[in-house]
Amino acid sequence: MFQYYSSNELKIINKFEKDGFLIFNLDKQKIKKIRNLVNSQIFKIFKKNKIKIKNEHKLDILNKFHLYIKTSELNNFRLNIYNNLNKKKDFLETYFKVSKKELEVICGNELAMQRKINLSIQIPKDDSSLLPVHSDVWSGCSPFEVVVWIPLVNCSKTKSMFILPKQENEKYYKKFYKNKNSNDLYNSIKKKTKWINIKFGQGLIFTHQLMHGNLVNETKETRWSFNCRFKSLMSPYDKKDIAETFLPISIRPATRFGMNYEEPQT
């Protein structure tokens, strides 16, 4: 089989096919634009609620966020920012463009994107924002999808997320139904999981066939991260189809001609 890839493309492909995930550098200007949007939303809400920020925390408000909010207020705060950002037309476009090169190598250049980008805020010691070990395919997502996970702060250990690399995932995946619940499943794989060590300015792209999740954040800083699913436009969908969940973002002219073709009437 002929495969016409550049050396840079082959490097991305080989890494992704080996592990099922890839950490890569984002477009610096675009990711800073996204972080600035989030910061402005935080300051706006704080101002409205008359919450005063210490001067030494203003430049690091994302990491220090837990010092200014109660756990009971967290989800409403998160939804407020989530809804405001997803109303901005250029937000989705910017999110796509920060990882465009890697996505097109891994998925192709005709893509569909999740209609809304998810936001996760995980403050220290909070057990209300946990995502137990899972594979998205178990909940009706297509196995052809990938997730682009982008942190707005440096993440490691329990401030990050864990993932089961491809080789280990293949060993344990079929044993899922032998485990009674997510705790049993995690206990059976935890020694094989990899905690993602990633800095602001980097992104993670992974196949959500891999089991992944998080635990209680035991660090002294808050984690902020976005995640969004992408897939090849023409690859199979599952329960979450293109009309309900996905938005076509790059359709080539030949595909448009093909989609609009009708047989002549006889």
Side-chain angles (χ1 to χ4, degrees), residues 144-189:
F144 291 84
E145 297 169 18
V146 297
V147 176
V148 174
W149 188 84
I150 296 178
L152 296 182
V153 290
N154 295 341
C155 294
S156 62
K157 301 180 180 178
T158 56
K159 190 186 172 188
S160 186
M161 61 171 283
F162 64 80
I163 209 165
L164 190 64
K166 180 185 174 185
Q167 291 181 343
E168 298 298 336
N169 198 76
E170 291 173 349
K171 294 177 185 177
Y172 287 93
Y173 193 88
K174 293 181 180 179
K175 297 179 181 179
F176 166 67
Y177 294 106
K178 294 181 181 180
N179 294 281
K180 295 179 180 179
N181 54 49
S182 59
N183 287 333
D184 289 340
L185 177 59
Y186 178 70
N187 286 332
S188 70
I189 66 171

Side-chain angles (χ1 to χ4, degrees), residues 14-254:
N14 291 337
K15 175 66 175 173
F16 191 80
E17 289 188 341
K18 176 179 177 289
D19 297 329
F21 66 90
L22 174 76
I23 294 175
F24 61 98
N25 293 325
L26 303 169
D27 181 296
K28 291 182 179 179
Q29 289 186 333
K30 290 181 173 62
I31 190 56
K32 285 181 179 178
K33 179 180 178 180
I34 290 175
R35 185 174 64 176
N36 289 339
L37 278 173
V38 173
N39 283 339
S40 66
Q41 290 288 322
I42 294 172
F43 295 140
K44 184 177 180 180
I45 297 171
F46 278 3
K47 184 177 180 180
K48 182 179 179 181
N49 293 301
K50 298 181 180 180
I51 298 173
K52 293 184 179 180
I53 308 170
K54 292 181 180 181
N55 288 333
E56 62 265 31
H57 292 163
K58 288 182 178 179
L59 294 177
D60 195 26
I61 190 59
L62 296 175
N63 278 311
K64 304 300 183 184
F65 177 74
H66 56 281
L67 300 176
Y68 298 93
I69 194 165
K70 298 177 182 177
T71 303
S72 59
E73 302 168 336
L74 180 61
N75 195 48
N76 284 337
F77 197 103
R78 182 188 67 82
L79 288 173
N80 195 335
I81 296 179
Y82 164 84
N83 289 325
N84 287 338
L85 289 178
N86 278 292
K87 288 177 183 176
K88 299 179 182 294
K89 292 183 178 179
D90 64 340
F91 176 57
L92 271 71
E93 181 180 0
T94 303
Y95 195 91
F96 161 59
K97 286 184 176 179
V98 296
S99 53
K100 182 176 185 288
K101 181 181 74 174
E102 286 73 19
L103 274 171
E104 290 188 344
V105 173
I106 292 169
C107 296
N109 63 8
E110 291 188 293
L111 296 169
M113 176 183 186
Q114 193 174 321
R115 289 180 177 271
K116 291 189 176 182
I117 297 168
N118 297 316
L119 169 64
S120 175
I121 308 172
Q122 194 178 10
I123 64 177
K125 307 297 183 180
D126 175 29
D127 62 1
S128 67
S129 304
L130 298 184
L131 197 61
V133 60
H134 68 288
S135 164
D136 294 14
V137 181
W138 299 340
S139 58
C141 294
S142 168
F144 291 84
E145 297 169 18
V146 297
V147 176
V148 174
W149 188 84
I150 296 178
L152 296 182
V153 290
N154 295 341
C155 294
S156 62
K157 301 180 180 178
T158 56
K159 190 186 172 188
S160 186
M161 61 171 283
F162 64 80
I163 209 165
L164 190 64
K166 180 185 174 185
Q167 291 181 343
E168 298 298 336
N169 198 76
E170 291 173 349
K171 294 177 185 177
Y172 287 93
Y173 193 88
K174 293 181 180 179
K175 297 179 181 179
F176 166 67
Y177 294 106
K178 294 181 181 180
N179 294 281
K180 295 179 180 179
N181 54 49
S182 59
N183 287 333
D184 289 340
L185 177 59
Y186 178 70
N187 286 332
S188 70
I189 66 171
K190 65 180 180 180
K191 292 182 179 180
K192 304 295 183 179
T193 56
K194 176 179 176 62
W195 284 93
I196 300 299
N197 188 350
I198 189 169
K199 297 179 180 179
F200 171 71
Q202 295 180 311
L204 169 73
I205 183 170
F206 66 98
T207 168
H208 61 184
Q209 294 181 44
L210 300 183
M211 288 183 271
H212 58 283
N214 63 21
L215 297 179
V216 172
N217 180 1
E218 299 290 349
T219 74
K220 296 180 179 180
E221 297 178 329
T222 299
R223 188 193 90 193
W224 289 73
S225 61
F226 288 108
N227 68 83
C228 186
R229 299 184 184 97
F230 293 83
K231 66 187 295 298
S232 173
L233 178 69
M234 305 302 287
S235 64
Y237 294 79
D238 203 307
K239 294 177 182 178
K240 299 178 181 181
D241 61 24
I242 194 167
E244 177 187 1
T245 307
F246 285 91
L247 177 72
I249 58 172
S250 50
I251 307 177
R252 303 298 173 179

